[in-house]
Amino acid sequence: MAQKTTLKEFESVFPKLEEILVEHAKKYNLPSEQLDWYKLSLETNTLGGKCNRGMSVPDSVSLLQGRALTEDEYFHSATLGWMTELLQAFFLVSDDIMDSSITRRGKPCWYRQEGVGMVAINDAFMLESAIYTLLKKLFRTHPRYVDLIELFHEVTFQTEIGQLCDLLTAPEDVVNLDNFSMDKYRFIVIYKTAYYSFYLPVALALYQLDIATPENLKQAEDILIPLGEYFQIQDDYLDNFGLPEHIGKIGTDIMDNKCSWLVNQALAIVTPEQREILAENYGRKNKDNEAVIKKLYNDLKLEQLYQEYEEKRVGEIRALIANIDESQGLKKEVFETFLSKIYKRSK
């Protein structure tokens, strides 16, 4: 039987990895004060999240093997999982600076914490470097070592081009609805979110087991990228229609001028008068303007539109999963597990 990891089990691996990273830094005689800073950055920025991306690696390895993992298998798959969390930490520290964000996981963003400021940019670089330190230390003799390195580099670049498109399409301080389109939205979502959040954990599991082939990687990609796109569209929907007590935050996409699924759907169906309302109120840092947009979204029945989209999309994804050729090394359960986590979620 496959075994599902718990957050507690997953987090128990982190101290061993932190020790490897600190020992590596010590080789360069990094002064103790800076060493303590590095440890604090690692712990503050990597720990404390839900770790869904990271835990998906050992879960996928276990599902692919159809059994519980040995201690060594679990350690190595959880290590790859923590590398995805380090990648996430690198992105979030950087993203929070670019977006001038205030809080992250209920606390001040790293760059806003006392004495940090723009040192956070260098800390982000060090979080990314930690991935390759761990890869070299723990996977240097693995037959797919080079593939693992290239996968992390490629997914990092994919996320960065998604972020570039997002930043240039919807700057917070310049509202221009003509910049928005579903094609741009899809590009942003696929590259900024879907590859590192959905494709990366499964590709890592296939490489760890040394069963990755061009065929099964492509088949995984063809299912996981639509899944990732659906996840982000769902996130955009919940930002406006979800209950704050469920999603753990108050949605800000309207005031932040986000190129979201909802605004793109609205742009496709508004009358000229309604578009005028959108243009006058979207992306304004004002609750009154936001309320006007929320009312417009209700008038346009965007909640119903989303629910119709969700059922259609999930049906398509289930059909893709049903057609998986398990002789290629994949297991349908891997993808069913991802889908079950997000279908009809409220947070």
Side-chain angles (χ1 to χ4, degrees):
M1 274 290 280
Q3 188 176 16
K4 193 176 182 332
T5 190
T6 65
L7 184 58
K8 188 177 178 183
E9 285 170 331
F10 185 67
E11 286 182 335
S12 71
V13 173
F14 186 81
K16 299 166 194 169
L17 306 180
E18 183 183 59
E19 190 180 330
I20 290 169
L21 294 169
V22 169
E23 286 304 310
H24 180 71
K26 280 181 181 175
K27 286 182 189 174
Y28 300 97
N29 299 315
L30 186 66
S32 61
E33 186 184 343
Q34 282 70 42
L35 207 58
D36 289 343
W37 181 283
Y38 181 39
K39 282 182 67 175
L40 182 63
S41 170
L42 282 168
E43 291 167 9
T44 304
N45 295 308
T46 315
L47 297 172
K50 296 188 287 287
C51 293
N52 286 333
R53 293 168 183 83
M55 292 193 295
S56 292
V57 183
D59 283 350
S60 295
V61 170
S62 185
L63 285 164
L64 286 165
Q65 302 227 92
R67 60 170 174 79
L69 303 180
T70 66
E71 194 174 329
D72 184 65
E73 286 171 335
Y74 182 79
F75 175 74
H76 281 87
S77 61
T79 295
L80 290 170
W82 276 112
M83 289 178 205
T84 70
E85 294 297 326
L86 282 163
L87 188 65
Q88 160 91 330
F90 159 55
F91 292 147
L92 295 185
V93 170
S94 310
D95 199 44
D96 285 344
I97 296 170
M98 289 182 258
D99 289 350
S100 302
S101 298
I102 305 299
T103 59
R104 171 67 64 186
R105 294 169 182 163
K107 296 175 183 174
C109 297
W110 178 243
Y111 81 98
R112 291 178 58 86
Q113 295 196 15
E114 191 178 349
V116 179
M118 290 304 107
V119 178
I121 296 172
N122 194 65
D123 294 331
F125 296 158
M126 291 183 75
L127 290 165
E128 184 193 22
S129 293
I131 296 165
Y132 302 99
T133 301
L134 292 173
L135 271 175
K136 186 175 182 183
K137 176 72 176 177
L138 296 167
F139 290 87
R140 183 71 181 79
T141 58
H142 193 282
R144 307 305 286 268
Y145 175 60
V146 173
D147 290 316
L148 289 166
I149 292 173
E150 289 186 348
L151 176 63
F152 272 107
H153 280 311
E154 194 63 27
V155 169
T156 301
F157 180 71
Q158 288 166 326
T159 309
E160 288 162 352
I161 61 173
Q163 173 76 337
L164 177 65
C165 191
D166 192 16
L167 290 168
L168 296 182
T169 298
E172 274 198 54
D173 53 346
V174 181
V175 181
N176 181 1
L177 298 179
D178 291 336
N179 269 345
F180 294 175
S181 72
M182 275 309 292
D183 284 344
K184 273 188 187 173
Y185 174 76
R186 197 166 286 114
F187 182 93
I188 292 165
V189 166
I190 287 171
Y191 289 104
K192 186 179 172 181
T193 301
Y195 272 101
Y196 93 93
S197 300
F198 287 82
Y199 174 71
L200 178 61
V202 175
L204 287 170
L206 290 167
Y207 279 128
Q208 185 192 341
L209 294 171
D210 196 13
I211 59 172
T213 64
E215 291 75 24
N216 63 25
L217 287 169
K218 180 70 171 68
Q219 198 165 27
E221 182 181 15
D222 288 347
I223 297 170
L224 293 164
I225 298 310
L227 247 174
E229 189 181 353
Y230 159 48
F231 172 81
Q232 186 58 55
I233 289 170
Q234 189 180 53
D235 221 47
D236 292 357
Y237 163 78
L238 290 172
D239 184 89
N240 185 74
F241 292 104
L243 297 172
E245 58 267 32
H246 286 169
I247 61 176
K249 62 179 180 179
I250 296 167
T252 60
D253 283 0
I254 293 170
M255 286 198 277
D256 290 346
N257 190 37
K258 290 291 185 187
C259 178
S260 80
W261 186 81
L262 292 173
V263 74
N264 277 293
Q265 294 303 309
L267 285 166
I269 58 176
V270 285
T271 63
E273 293 79 13
Q274 288 172 324
R275 187 185 170 93
E276 201 66 38
I277 293 170
L278 260 180
E280 287 171 4
N281 293 278
Y282 197 78
R284 306 302 194 276
K285 303 284 187 188
N286 183 296
K287 281 284 180 188
D288 292 338
N289 296 108
E290 182 189 46
V292 172
I293 299 296
K294 282 178 169 285
K295 181 181 182 306
L296 180 61
Y297 284 177
N298 288 333
D299 292 344
L300 294 170
K301 296 185 169 51
L302 292 191
E303 185 164 18
Q304 184 182 333
L305 195 70
Y306 167 78
Q307 287 163 354
E308 289 166 4
Y309 157 81
E310 181 173 47
E311 293 310 314
K312 182 172 181 289
R313 195 52 156 162
V314 169
E316 291 165 352
I317 290 168
R318 283 183 174 143
L320 289 170
I321 294 170
N323 287 328
I324 285 173
D325 179 1
E326 294 195 337
S327 69
Q328 296 287 329
L330 291 178
K331 294 280 180 67
K332 291 173 185 176
E333 292 94 326
V334 172
F335 305 94
E336 287 163 353
T337 299
F338 272 96
L339 182 56
S340 68
K341 284 179 187 174
I342 59 176
Y343 179 52
K344 295 287 187 188
R345 72 185 172 102
S346 60
K347 59 182 179 179

